[in-house]
Amino acid sequence: MDRHVFPDRRSAGALLGIEVAKVALEDPVVLGLPRGGVPVAAIVAKSIGAPLDVVVVRKLGVPGQSELAMGAIGENDVVIVNREIVRASRVSDEEFADVERRERATLDQTLGLFHSARPEHSLAHRSAVIVDDGIATGATVRAAIGVVRAQGVQHITVATPVAPVDVVDTLSAEADIVVCLAQPDPFGSVGRWYRNFDAVSDREVLDLLVESNSPGAP
């Protein structure tokens, strides 16, 4: 059996919460990446006594090379553009706008699904803790960092149970702090490091948001 194996997302969240609690955070809010990051984030939020929310981002892939990110979008009309990739890939303004329009429709649909269960707050001048259940390439988390920073946060912590060493190094240059419990090499996939890595449903994300932000919740 691999050395670093988490029983499930909640167990990983409990261990991650212990480490995140050691970070000095002013007025923190925990932001889970749907869907798999939210069960981990819910435990972290409880551990540090912070509200739970989600950060929904959509990567803008280069036409014909969808895995290559030329930018990202988030709520509040935030758009992050990687101008070097746009230039190198010779993406026209029209092509960029077309990709953004398609991804914005999917983003809005996801945000609409979670809207009723989310707390109403601003991220401005707060400490944001971005949580995922594991990070393989870092593309989604990097997009989340850009989107969250554009909303005026004061401090960004990225927290994850497991990620490759090189990805942690890259994210450390973009976030203020990266908390990662295990950095195995070779890495493989995120699911390899969990005994139970069942898919997380939208219903589970909604339930966790409601539970974490209900009156009387820690």
Side-chain angles (χ1 to χ4, degrees), residues 7-208:
D8 53 31
R9 291 181 177 88
R10 288 179 176 264
S11 298
L15 294 172
L16 191 61
I18 292 171
E19 297 306 312
V20 173
K22 298 176 183 177
V23 181
L25 300 172
E26 183 175 346
D27 194 17
V29 57
V30 176
L31 305 170
L33 282 162
R35 302 182 185 89
V38 179
V40 181
I43 302 300
V44 172
K46 185 176 181 179
S47 298
I48 66 173
L52 172 69
D53 200 351
V54 292
V55 52
V56 182
V57 298
R58 295 293 298 180
K59 181 175 65 176
L60 302 179
V62 171
Q65 296 177 270
S66 60
E67 290 305 309
L68 180 59
M70 60 180 179
I73 57 172
E75 59 187 303
N76 300 323
D77 296 322
V78 172
V79 181
I80 308 298
V81 182
N82 187 326
R83 301 195 182 281
E84 289 185 8
I85 295 295
V86 170
R87 283 195 297 268
S89 302
R90 299 182 179 178
V91 178
S92 68
D93 291 344
E94 292 77 12
E95 288 173 321
F96 189 96
D98 186 53
V99 172
E100 181 185 348
R101 185 164 47 250
R102 291 199 308 269
E103 295 298 341
R104 178 68 65 182
T106 302
L107 178 88
D108 289 344
Q109 183 178 24
T110 304
L111 288 170
L113 178 66
F114 297 142
H115 176 74
S116 62
R118 299 178 64 192
E120 294 185 9
H121 59 64
S122 169
L123 295 182
H125 310 299
R126 303 185 71 170
S127 296
V129 183
I130 299 173
V131 179
D132 207 356
D133 54 5
I135 303 172
T137 66
T140 302
V141 175
R142 291 179 69 190
I145 291 171
V147 167
V148 169
R149 198 174 291 283
Q151 296 183 58
V153 297
Q154 177 178 318
H155 183 279
I156 295 178
T157 298
V158 170
T160 187
V162 61
V165 174
D166 61 329
V167 170
V168 171
D169 289 343
T170 297
L171 293 175
S172 295
E174 300 191 22
D176 295 291
I177 294 176
V178 176
V179 178
C180 181
L181 303 180
Q183 300 177 47
D185 183 22
F187 183 80
S189 65
V190 172
R192 173 185 178 185
W193 306 102
Y194 285 85
R195 293 194 186 95
N196 181 338
F197 198 64
D198 291 343
V200 177
S201 67
D202 289 334
R203 181 72 260 171
E204 184 175 353
V205 172
L206 284 166
D207 288 346
L208 288 168

